[in-house]
Amino acid sequence: MTRFIFITGGVVSSLGKGLASASLAALLQARGYRVRLRKLDPYLNVDPGTMNPNQHGEVFVTDDGAETDLDLGHYERFTNVAARKSDNVTTGQIYSKLLSKERRGDYLGGTVQVIPHVTDLIKEFVVNDTEGEDFVLCEIGGTVGDIEGLPFFEAIRQLGYEMGKQRVLFMHVTLVPYIAAAREIKTKPTQHSVKELRSIGIQPDILLCRAEREIPLAERRKIALFCNLREEAVIQGLDAASIYEVPRNLSEQGLDRQVLSHFALPAQSVPELARWDDITRRIHAPKGEVTVAVVGKYTGIGDVYKSLAEALDHAGIANQLKVHVRWVDAAANDIEAALQGAHAILVPGGFGERGVSGKLAAIEYARERKVPYLGICFGMQLACIEFARNALGMKDATSTEFGAYDDRDGRGPLIGLMTEWMRGNVLETRRHDGDLGGTMRLGAYDCIIAPGSLAHRVYGAEQITERHRHRYEVNIAYRAQMEEGGMRFSGMSPGGNLPEIVELADHPFFIGVQFHPEFKSRPFAAHPLFAAFVQAAAQRAEKEPKPAHVLRMPAKA
Ligand code: GLN
């Protein structure tokens, strides 16, 4: 029997609902259950892929090619269960499905309404494709009371009613703030938030109260009384030093036990959390530290490079090193100064021409000074451009993404749009006039690695699968010339048409990949590319042990 846990939020956003959901899933998994995580996003955009990362954080990409909310990244990292297209939906998607059904005449001329038609589609999404799962945890984006969220709340209310308590649990995440002037913690916002939830027919079974300070028992009792819950069901979620401590902390507060007892499942034993504890131990006892400069268009904004920051952390855990990330603005006046003392340089994925000259300068710096370099997607394409321009003298080498077109002897541009490629045995095409959201190579594709290459040493495999999200490709018509000059195309698509990995022979560690390895990195299994990159940074740090200037991104608990 599949049980459903709905996670809602109240009082303020950014309470870490996603992490709480992921942590609860990890706890259930640590007790031997099969879990699945889903996100219902109330905004109207059809495709999170086209949303501004400044507003919405990174776009997470699944194996099956969905561009999703970044919370799915937390889910995957905490549970190692690969998310799918069917795990994230937006109001926009629900409505576009509804309206095309209406146009097709599926509603037979009946009046089409939010209840039941929109709510039915939401319910269908929630229960669809959940066979074999013990628990499906479904997070509702936004906070209770948001107008856009209402149909989602109504849909999960209906599911709770239809399936009953033995199959549905509602967990509400709220904030219990500390007011410094009064030297008191305040429960009123939580009371109001639960009142709001109950006014739309949902009585939470568990309250997870996020707090900076310990919530005294008396206050927890008060919350329980006013919110119509048992005292044990009011769980406090205190800020943690690292996100990997959250599952252990929540378990100690009794979260997983409460969930199991709600469903009348045995809860006496304790979950197996040794691997989480091991990570925490490694984080708190690093053997050294390195500084990695990340040169991008968006800097210092917490969630834009979420998976990337996590992957670097994972690589730190694997090498037992503290990895300091220095976010370098690609538009900075003096890139060279900004890179001083960094032990490695990374140019991440990106779109558009802004900041390109700074990124190219950073790549040139890494190449010439033999600083370890990892180029991801755009960072790989730009590494090819930099090499072609500065090492091979192809001064006008560029990408058609910038509205320019370079050509040599009819070979076309160095980086350009490819209109056809093979995925397995299927020919896929990309339309130049397609929707903005529909023109990308998305999701998992295989890559064949050349024996004896750096990539081969890093992966220890000749065939890998990695996730993609890009429109443009490096043109293989330049392969021979680039390889002769010293840039090896060490990873190619199975058909040999699409360059996937490039590297420099005459360099301690210089590698560019057309895919996004950060999406597949896990705290328990750092991605080999990131692990090797951080190791190369450590080797450089040994040679040049100057204290590095450190800027940390604000952590989001
Ligand atoms: N802008 C580049 C492209 O579309 C790279 C995309 C990326 O880095 N994800 O191909």
Side-chain angles (χ1 to χ4, degrees), residues 349-351 377-378 381 401 469-472 516:
F351 293 83
C377 205
F378 205 32
Q381 296 172 359
E401 180 169 5
R469 179 175 182 250
H470 57 105
R471 292 194 179 84
Y472 301 88
H516 289 272

Side-chain angles (χ1 to χ4, degrees), residues 347-352 376-381 399 401-402 415-417 430 439-441 468-473 513-516 518-519:
V347 175
F351 293 83
I376 294 179
C377 205
F378 205 32
M380 177 252 206
Q381 296 172 359
S399 166
E401 180 169 5
F402 313 141
I415 318 282
L417 261 188
R430 179 191 271 140
T439 53
M440 292 221 233
R441 184 149 79 101
H468 289 248
R469 179 175 182 250
H470 57 105
R471 292 194 179 84
Y472 301 88
E473 308 280 354
V513 294
Q514 185 57 81
F515 42 81
H516 289 272
E518 68 271 28
F519 294 139

Side-chain angles (χ1 to χ4, degrees), residues 11 187-196 222-223 226-227:
V11 185
T187 65
K188 193 71 87 191
T190 293
Q191 293 177 38
H192 278 292
S193 175
V194 171
K195 196 167 145 199
E196 180 84 34
K222 187 165 144 196
I223 294 174
F226 281 94
C227 299

Side-chain angles (χ1 to χ4, degrees), residues 175-179 182-191 219 222-223:
L175 176 71
V176 176
Y178 175 77
I179 306 294
R183 278 196 248 126
E184 271 180 7
I185 62 151
K186 291 290 173 194
T187 65
K188 193 71 87 191
T190 293
Q191 293 177 38
E219 300 299 315
K222 187 165 144 196
I223 294 174

Side-chain angles (χ1 to χ4, degrees), residues 295 335 339 345 347 356 358-369 373 375 378-384 386-387 507 510:
V295 186
I335 286 287
L339 296 176
I345 295 170
V347 175
V356 160
K359 293 178 190 180
L360 288 170
I363 296 168
E364 185 175 2
Y365 179 101
R367 182 173 62 82
E368 290 197 329
R369 305 201 191 187
Y373 176 75
F378 205 32
M380 177 252 206
Q381 296 172 359
L382 293 177
C384 291
E386 191 282 324
F387 189 75
H507 194 286
F510 188 106

Side-chain angles (χ1 to χ4, degrees), residues 198-400:
R198 291 173 69 195
S199 76
I200 49 180
I202 297 173
Q203 164 65 48
D205 301 296
I206 291 181
L207 271 187
L208 177 60
C209 301
R210 294 276 291 107
E212 260 175 82
R213 308 224 173 182
E214 195 83 25
I215 309 174
L217 188 61
E219 300 299 315
R220 258 184 280 169
R221 286 203 172 124
K222 187 165 144 196
I223 294 174
L225 182 66
F226 281 94
C227 299
N228 194 32
L229 283 140
R230 280 172 303 114
E231 186 185 308
E232 317 81 78
V234 180
I235 310 276
Q236 66 174 351
L238 293 175
D239 292 351
S242 109
I243 56 170
Y244 304 113
E245 291 169 35
V246 176
R248 156 75 65 207
N249 291 354
L250 291 179
S251 183
E252 279 169 3
Q253 296 294 327
L255 178 63
D256 46 330
R257 257 180 293 125
Q258 283 308 312
V259 169
L260 294 177
S261 86
H262 171 95
F263 290 117
L265 291 165
Q268 294 79 10
S269 61
V270 286
E272 176 49 53
L273 296 178
R275 59 181 197 157
W276 292 95
D277 297 339
D278 182 48
I279 289 185
T280 309
R281 228 185 14 256
R282 282 165 166 268
I283 290 176
H284 290 306
K287 295 202 181 113
E289 46 187 8
V290 295
T291 298
V292 174
V294 175
V295 186
K297 192 162 72 168
Y298 308 99
T299 55
I301 301 148
D303 284 343
V304 175
Y305 300 113
K306 190 72 200 165
S307 294
L308 184 78
E310 295 277 316
L312 287 166
D313 275 350
H314 303 160
I317 294 170
N319 287 292
Q320 208 157 348
L321 293 168
K322 171 91 197 122
V323 178
H324 298 286
V325 178
R326 185 192 298 169
W327 301 98
V328 173
D329 182 359
N333 285 333
D334 192 347
I335 286 287
E336 216 181 295
L339 296 176
Q340 280 307 318
H343 305 119
I345 295 170
L346 193 156
V347 175
F351 293 83
E353 200 174 3
R354 188 161 65 82
V356 160
S357 62
K359 293 178 190 180
L360 288 170
I363 296 168
E364 185 175 2
Y365 179 101
R367 182 173 62 82
E368 290 197 329
R369 305 201 191 187
K370 310 248 184 277
V371 183
Y373 176 75
L374 175 59
I376 294 179
C377 205
F378 205 32
M380 177 252 206
Q381 296 172 359
L382 293 177
C384 291
I385 292 178
E386 191 282 324
F387 189 75
R389 285 187 189 172
N390 300 330
L392 302 182
M394 292 159 35
K395 289 289 170 222
D396 62 344
T398 188
S399 166
T400 52

